[in-house]
Amino acid sequence: MKYDRQDVIEKATNLFWEKGFHATSMRNLQEVIDMRPGSIYACFGCKDGLFKETLRYYADKGRSNLQTCVETTATPLDALKLFIHNAVLGNPDAPNSMCMLVKSISELTENDNPELLDESKQLLRGIENAFTDLLTQAVERGELDASKDPRRLARFLQMQLMGLRAYAQANKGTVSVEEMLDDMFSCLH
Amino acid sequence: MKYDRQDVIEKATNLFWEKGFHATSMRNLQEVIDMRPGSIYACFGCKDGLFKETLRYYADKGRSNLQTCVETTATPLDALKLFIHNAVLGNPDAPNSMCMLVKSISELTENDNPELLDESKQLLRGIENAFTDLLTQAVERGELDASKDPRRLARFLQMQLMGLRAYAQANKGTVSVEEMLDDMFSCLH
DNA sequence: GTAATAAATGAACAGTCGTTCAAAATGAGC
DNA sequence: GCTCATTTTGAACGACTGTTCATTTATTAC
């Protein structure tokens, strides 16, 4: 009976997301995804390979979340607001309020894990590009002042999203993230 | 000949800051601080103990940097601006553009390292409190509108600082941090 | 210079790490 | 039911982990 690859990757993603790359041992993974080492290595090559796959899965889920936001809101800006709101407060039982890609960039080094680090950076850039597209639409529709630069705005939004998720992690349960979201969007205009 | 404790802690801080807690082995530390295991354990107890000491050293350095900014600028708001500018761009050969405390909060878990995690959170809160004090002064002096809430502003600033440093790490060399700093301060008013 | 005290050493420990691979279990085709 | 190919297993490997402690080296006091 072959393993359900999707299911395995999702479980691995949650574990890596929670504990980080270095603190997650192959034995931890073996328990969580219920596979023996031989099978894991036959499927994914090595720990790095499995981790890279989880990074892509995580980023894909992010992109599809954003797409859902676009489809369920009236304007590009509303879609962005909803996406960011969901990213920080959306599912309370997420392994971590921090972005998994940011966590990875935080713990990986150019010397020790250049491939995984570059992959994380690239995936993060992909999400920022999706922000840029939406902000461009917002300007075209007149939802945003035409003087605004969508790329610069996307960069700023990405930075604040990274910050807010990290801040929420650092102050779990003691702070009103809603209030901070208001502050964040009120300085878009 | 007793070791220079200050020097040892500084070297350990830089290594932990660069590689993170988990990826830094005691043998890495032994090389960098040029001490044999027995001496390290006699001085600091265990790896956690040494790490905690470096966290405090790092936060202390941050606080004294802020104090220097206060002393070399005309107004509280200028001091804050200078501090944040320096934190992100100040010393280009810092081990990491991310905040060491944020990196630590990112990689540590309540389950595995509760003490180190709490210490990091607490130190970060200390810095935010210093922000609050300065912003309170700014309101008192009329540098900021009296309608602004210093605590809320400090929270917002802290979040953005965390975000900006993480963003700078994720986009090393490809982005104008100066521009982003402008955006960041222009939405204070 | 010698004895007593303090500091530094590094080989060694038990445990865990990522990874391998011969053997066992399973599935497919007839 | 038998055969062949695929998949899964888990004991085992060498390397590395954080840590200890008997021994050596350095410092102090007389």
Side-chain angles (χ1 to χ4, degrees):
Chain A
M1 181 196 54
K2 287 197 72 174
Y3 288 108
D4 179 351
R5 192 178 176 91
Q6 187 75 0
D7 182 56
V8 164
I9 290 178
E10 185 174 337
K11 283 174 177 160
T13 304
N14 285 333
L15 190 63
F16 274 131
W17 188 5
E18 183 193 341
K19 297 171 68 85
F21 177 72
H22 284 116
T24 302
S25 74
M26 289 306 290
R27 282 173 176 78
N28 293 154
L29 285 163
Q30 288 163 35
E31 288 168 22
V32 165
I33 70 185
D34 191 30
M35 284 172 78
R36 265 32 67 194
S39 306
I40 300 181
Y41 280 83
C43 268
F44 301 101
C46 61
K47 191 190 180 187
D48 290 46
L50 176 54
F51 187 66
K52 192 181 276 191
E53 202 115 16
T54 65
L55 286 175
R56 287 176 181 151
Y57 173 80
Y58 176 87
D60 265 348
K61 217 174 49 179
R63 271 190 290 267
S64 92
N65 284 348
L66 182 55
Q67 187 54 36
T68 305
C69 291
V70 169
E71 286 159 5
T72 58
T73 53
T75 72
L77 223 52
D78 282 340
L80 272 172
K81 287 182 186 177
L82 179 59
F83 175 76
I84 290 176
H85 182 278
N86 287 347
V88 191
L89 294 167
N91 69 326
D93 43 29
N96 204 295
S97 39
M98 287 196 68
C99 171
M100 181 179 173
L101 301 174
V102 174
K103 272 198 72 164
S104 302
I105 289 171
S106 167
E107 76 164 331
L108 301 174
T109 5
E110 197 61 55
N111 287 336
D112 296 336
N113 300 95
E115 280 191 35
L116 297 177
L117 180 59
D118 284 352
E119 184 75 23
S120 306
K121 288 182 180 176
Q122 198 179 314
L123 291 169
L124 215 41
R125 229 172 289 131
I127 293 172
E128 186 177 322
N129 288 340
F131 287 0
T132 308
D133 292 346
L134 281 174
L135 289 164
T136 306
Q137 286 177 39
V139 169
E140 284 166 357
R141 290 195 185 195
E143 201 183 359
L144 272 179
D145 194 287
S147 69
K148 305 278 187 187
D149 175 5
R151 289 213 271 176
R152 185 165 176 173
L153 232 44
R155 205 192 298 159
F156 192 54
L157 224 49
Q158 174 84 291
M159 173 234 108
Q160 291 200 114
L161 181 53
M162 289 160 97
L164 187 53
R165 297 182 73 174
Y167 190 92
Q169 180 73 18
N171 301 72
K172 273 235 159 82
T174 73
V175 88
S176 161
V177 178
E178 297 282 2
E179 230 179 40
M180 299 185 73
L181 276 167
D182 290 345
D183 292 342
M184 184 169 156
F185 282 113
S186 74
C187 73
L188 259 192
H189 305 287
Chain B
M1 180 196 53
K2 288 197 71 173
Y3 289 108
D4 178 350
R5 192 178 176 91
Q6 186 76 359
D7 182 56
V8 163
I9 289 179
E10 185 174 338
K11 282 174 179 162
T13 303
N14 285 333
L15 190 62
F16 274 131
W17 189 6
E18 183 194 343
K19 298 171 68 86
F21 177 71
H22 285 117
T24 303
S25 73
M26 290 305 290
R27 282 173 175 78
N28 293 152
L29 285 162
Q30 286 165 36
E31 290 168 20
V32 165
I33 71 187
D34 190 31
M35 282 172 80
R36 264 37 65 196
S39 306
I40 299 180
Y41 280 83
C43 267
F44 301 100
C46 61
K47 191 190 179 188
D48 291 44
L50 176 51
F51 187 67
K52 192 181 276 191
E53 202 115 16
T54 65
L55 286 175
R56 287 176 179 153
Y57 173 78
Y58 176 86
D60 266 348
K61 218 174 46 178
R63 271 190 289 267
S64 92
N65 284 346
L66 183 55
Q67 187 53 35
T68 306
C69 291
V70 169
E71 286 159 5
T72 58
T73 52
T75 72
L77 223 50
D78 283 341
L80 271 174
K81 287 183 186 179
L82 179 60
F83 174 76
I84 291 178
H85 183 280
N86 287 347
V88 192
L89 295 165
N91 68 325
D93 44 30
N96 205 295
S97 38
M98 287 194 69
C99 170
M100 182 177 171
L101 301 174
V102 174
K103 273 197 70 163
S104 302
I105 288 171
S106 167
E107 76 163 332
L108 300 174
T109 320
E110 197 62 53
N111 286 335
D112 298 336
N113 299 95
E115 279 192 37
L116 297 177
L117 180 59
D118 285 351
E119 184 74 24
S120 306
K121 289 182 181 177
Q122 198 180 313
L123 291 168
L124 215 41
R125 226 172 291 133
I127 293 172
E128 186 177 323
N129 288 340
F131 287 0
T132 307
D133 292 345
L134 281 173
L135 289 164
T136 305
Q137 287 177 41
V139 170
E140 283 167 357
R141 291 194 185 196
E143 200 184 1
L144 274 178
D145 193 288
S147 69
K148 304 278 186 189
D149 175 6
R151 287 212 274 174
R152 185 166 177 171
L153 233 45
R155 204 193 299 161
F156 193 55
L157 224 50
Q158 174 83 294
M159 175 234 106
Q160 291 201 115
L161 180 53
M162 288 160 98
L164 188 52
R165 295 181 76 174
Y167 190 92
Q169 179 74 16
N171 301 75
K172 273 237 160 81
T174 73
V175 87
S176 162
V177 179
E178 296 282 3
E179 232 178 39
M180 299 184 71
L181 277 167
D182 289 345
D183 291 342
M184 184 169 155
F185 282 113
S186 72
C187 72
L188 258 193
H189 306 289

